[in-house]
Amino acid sequence: MNENVANRPHTLSLDNRHILSLSGVTDVQGFDEETVNIVTTLGVLIVKGRSLHISKLSLETSEVVIDGEVSSMHYLAGSEKKGIMARIFK
């Protein structure tokens, strides 16, 4: 991870459960209409909902905007993140 990106603050703003704006994003691991997996400077964030799509993605500015109906957001703990990565690359 670029040291400059790692030092950026992570912010999250949800407007009416339909527009999610994030900063401090370092990568998007995967997405579909129901789930978006985002790597932030503070860990992996799992966003779930309906009709989700990424309307803005800029890793240069570390920003992401997701449109759709957001039903939940969950940060993975450090051990969970390693567990998922270990399962993916088994």
Side-chain angles (χ1 to χ4, degrees), residues 46-69:
I46 310 297
V47 179
K48 294 193 177 194
R50 292 187 338 187
S51 302
L52 300 176
H53 71 278
I54 297 173
S55 61
K56 177 182 179 182
L57 170 61
S58 174
L59 296 180
E60 290 177 2
T61 61
S62 71
E63 296 174 318
V64 171
V65 176
I66 300 171
D67 295 328
E69 184 180 327

Side-chain angles (χ1 to χ4, degrees), residues 17-72:
R17 291 182 63 180
H18 287 285
I19 300 172
L20 176 62
S21 302
L22 299 159
S23 67
V25 174
T26 60
D27 194 13
V28 175
Q29 289 182 330
F31 63 93
D32 58 31
E33 289 189 347
E34 296 178 346
T35 305
V36 182
N37 297 338
I38 304 165
V39 180
T40 73
T41 54
L42 296 179
V44 175
L45 174 65
I46 310 297
V47 179
K48 294 193 177 194
R50 292 187 338 187
S51 302
L52 300 176
H53 71 278
I54 297 173
S55 61
K56 177 182 179 182
L57 170 61
S58 174
L59 296 180
E60 290 177 2
T61 61
S62 71
E63 296 174 318
V64 171
V65 176
I66 300 171
D67 295 328
E69 184 180 327
V70 176
S71 59
S72 71

Side-chain angles (χ1 to χ4, degrees), residues 70-83:
V70 176
S71 59
S72 71
M73 294 179 283
H74 175 79
Y75 286 94
L76 297 180
S79 61
E80 289 180 80
K81 184 169 87 172
K82 290 178 185 174

